[in-house]
Structures are given as structure tokens and as C-alpha cells.
Amino acid sequence: MAWTEVSGHIPAGAIVMWIGAIAWQIGYDTVYAYVDVKDDARLGLKSTAILFGQKGETCIGLFYALTVASWSLGGWLSGVSLSYACWNGGDRRASRLAGLAY
């Protein structure tokens, strides 16, 4: 918000990184939603675990792939170093998120 106040606009990189944050939240919350999926169904609640069903690992993996891609692209669009966009934004986070999904 401070960047936007000073510059007078929201940079494209920030929007792309925000999309990545939303994708991460959906993936992360879905991992934990599977713990309560039976209770959610019994209570009539709607969750991503119920929505994704047996395709949960694939969906979580896709959300995490979108996360890594968005954070890498957002960093690059924001002018951070190539090492961030490739290494920190990609490999390290991708391996951690893959461990959560599978």
C-alpha cells in the first residue's frame, strides 16, 4: 500500500504476486481441508476438499504451480534479480510446496 501511495499506481508485478498468494492460500487450505472432509460433508459445509474430491492432489499441485509461477513472474516484473525469479521464486519454493501436495 505504501508503494502505491508513493508511486500513484499498483505495479503489474504486485498484482501477479497477489494472484500467487491467493493460489497459495487455496492450495494450503485445501491440504488441511482434507483432514475434516468427512465432517464437512456430514455438516453440509462446502470446502475445496469436497469440491476437488479424488483429484485433490492434482488440484493442490496445480495451485502450487500457479503460486510459484506467479511469484517468479511477479518478482521479475517488479525488477528483482534473476536469481530471485529463478532460484528463490522457483526451485526452493516449488520443492517445499510439492512436499505438501504429495
Side-chain angles (χ1 to χ4, degrees):
M1 292 186 337
W3 179 281
T4 302
E5 179 65 28
V6 170
S7 67
H9 74 283
I10 301 172
I15 294 169
V16 173
M17 291 181 90
W18 175 68
I19 291 168
I22 292 170
W24 174 81
Q25 184 175 11
I26 293 169
Y28 185 85
D29 285 349
T30 301
V31 168
Y32 289 98
Y34 274 97
V35 173
D36 299 323
V37 71
K38 289 180 183 177
D39 292 330
D40 290 352
R42 183 177 51 84
L43 295 170
L45 302 175
K46 299 188 187 295
S47 70
T48 52
I50 292 171
L51 177 66
F52 298 156
Q54 297 298 316
K55 297 179 182 178
E57 286 182 352
T58 301
C59 292
I60 292 165
L62 290 172
F63 277 107
Y64 283 163
L66 177 60
T67 298
V68 172
S70 296
W71 287 347
S72 297
L73 178 60
W76 179 74
L77 289 172
S78 298
V80 298
S81 69
L82 183 60
S83 64
Y84 168 85
C86 293
W87 180 77
N88 194 27
D91 294 343
R92 197 172 93 194
R93 287 194 182 115
S95 64
R96 174 68 180 124
L97 295 175
L100 288 173
Y102 299 98

